[in-house]
């Protein structure tokens, strides 16, 4: 036990004292600040941006006025005549945002649009306004009852309803969590393999193996690097929770940051840490096996490719199937596959589509596979670390017969 604690503490201290670790940690804290300050930053730049100006050239009998367009974005001017080529040059010189030409055609009104970039929201609003003015014109000429006109102009109110208990913006949060988990597992898993391969290539392992048993050494490295990675994730999530609870930032209602504050509760944060730890250990044991099989760090890129393929395939399954259908059959299946379960269960927790019993079963299954992978690694690791050249799976099978 003492040998394990020595290796564990040494690996952890070496990991957290490196400059890249420090820079990444500071960057994660800065990212959390930037995330919560983003609404204020966006608002500041939007205030400093010049006001959008538009012109409507009205070649119809419809009565339009600038006062009726006050609810539409930008500053508007309605004119009866205008030189189209001159107005185009004004747009190119950024003196005018855009202009529209309304013309009478046979049995219809045509709207010609001149914009450097199509603004669909603006076009829908403008088209609705012109259609309303057309209806008013017909009502005036046909002596239609004003009550009928009011009924015709009654707006359609739409309200997007979420299929799940979380808000639609929660999808972006889940994307972010899965991406962070994927990057963290791949980076820190590779760190485990690199640490082992580096010691083999420098002959340090031959000295260490006389003082520390191979299995405690392997677990010490996996847990040491794991604690360093968990510390970074804990700092990042802790920073998000701190900013969400102390009220330093002015967060607009229904914004993305507001959704983060409502979704990222203390309970959810605990689940994130638990499944990050489990996901890390599932892959870290595999990376440790590969690290003990290669003779030098330069061979790790090709040796760890199968693990990276499994990890990337798991990410692809989450993005293509699980995210779009948190209650689907594929999601239920991937919740019990050890390589995909940490991500799938986390998605279902955020969307509240998993029961406590299903969560417990998935956790027990993942812990079982961690124990299985660790047992396999414990048999392979001692054989691999003492072999100076690369070790093949055929040789491993021969050694364990």
């Amino acid at each position: 036990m003492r040998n394990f604690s020595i290796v564990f503490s040494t690996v952890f201290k070496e990991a957290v004292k490196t400059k890249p670790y420090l820079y990444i940690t500071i960057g994660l804290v800065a990212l959390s600040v930037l995330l919560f300050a983003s609404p204020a930053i966006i608002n500041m730049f939007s205030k400093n941006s010049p006001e959008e100006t538009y012109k409507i050239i009205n070649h119809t009998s419809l009565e339009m006025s600038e006062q009726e367009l006050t609810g539409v974005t930008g500053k508007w001017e309605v004119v009866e005549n205008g030189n189209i080529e001159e107005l185009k040059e004004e747009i190119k010189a950024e003196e005018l945002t855009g202009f529209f030409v309304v013309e009478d055609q046979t049995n219809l009104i045509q709207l010609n649009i001149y914009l450097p970039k199509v603004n669909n929201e603006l076009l829908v609003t403008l088209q609705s306004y012109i259609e309303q003015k057309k209806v008013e014109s017909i009502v005036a000429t046909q002596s239609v009852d004003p009550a009928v006109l009011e009924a015709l102009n009654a707006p359609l109110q739409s309200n997007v309803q979420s299929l799940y208990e979380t808000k639609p913006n929660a999808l972006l949060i889940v994307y972010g969590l899965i991406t962070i988990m994927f990057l963290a597992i791949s980076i820190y898993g590779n760190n485990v393999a690199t640490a082992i391969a580096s010691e083999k290539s420098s002959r340090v392992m031959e000295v260490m193996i006389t003082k520390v048993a191979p299995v405690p050494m392997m677990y010490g490295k996996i847990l040491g690097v794991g604690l360093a990675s968990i510390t970074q994730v804990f700092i990042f999530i802790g920073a998000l929770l701190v900013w969400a609870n102390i009220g330093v930032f002015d967060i607009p209602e229904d914004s993305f940051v507001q959704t983060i504050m409502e979704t990222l509760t203390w309970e959810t944060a605990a689940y994130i840490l638990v499944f990050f730890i489990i996901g890390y250990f599932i892959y870290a044991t595999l990376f440790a096996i590969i690290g003990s099989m290669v003779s030098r760090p330069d061979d790790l890129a090709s040796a760890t490719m199968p693990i990276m393929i499994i990890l990337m395939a798991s990410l692809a399954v989450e993005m293509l199937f699980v995210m779009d259908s948190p209650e689907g059959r594929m999601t239920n299946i991937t919740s019990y596959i050890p390589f995909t379960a940490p991500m799938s269960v986390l998605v279902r927790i955020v969307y509240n589509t998993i029961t406590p019993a299903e969560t417990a079963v998935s956790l027990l299954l993942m812990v079982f596979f961690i124990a299985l992978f660790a047992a396999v690694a414990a048999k392979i690791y001692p054989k691999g670390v003492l072999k100076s050249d690369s070790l093949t799976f055929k040789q491993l099978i021969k050694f364990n017969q």
Side-chain angles (χ1 to χ4, degrees), residues 2-69:
R2 180 175 178 272
N3 292 337
F4 164 79
S5 61
I6 293 173
V7 175
F8 171 76
S9 60
T10 302
V11 171
F12 174 74
K13 290 176 183 178
E14 289 178 353
V16 297
K17 288 181 180 180
T18 60
K19 289 185 178 180
Y21 184 91
L22 180 63
Y23 294 153
I24 292 174
T25 305
I26 295 173
L28 289 174
V29 175
L31 178 62
S32 67
V33 174
L34 182 62
L35 188 64
F36 276 81
S38 58
I41 295 172
I42 294 172
N43 186 45
M44 180 183 67
F45 280 103
S46 61
K47 286 183 178 179
N48 294 333
S49 60
E51 186 179 13
E52 296 178 348
T53 56
Y54 300 97
K55 281 188 179 182
I56 296 179
I57 303 175
N58 186 10
H59 291 164
T60 68
S61 58
L62 302 179
E63 296 182 2
M64 302 182 189
S65 65
E66 291 87 352
Q67 291 76 16
E68 295 174 332
L69 293 166

Side-chain angles (χ1 to χ4, degrees), residues 2 4 85 151 164 189 217 248 257 271 321 396:
R2 180 175 178 272
F4 164 79
E85 295 302 322
Y164 308 100
M217 185 188 303
V248 173
V257 178
Y271 275 122
F321 301 103
L396 285 175

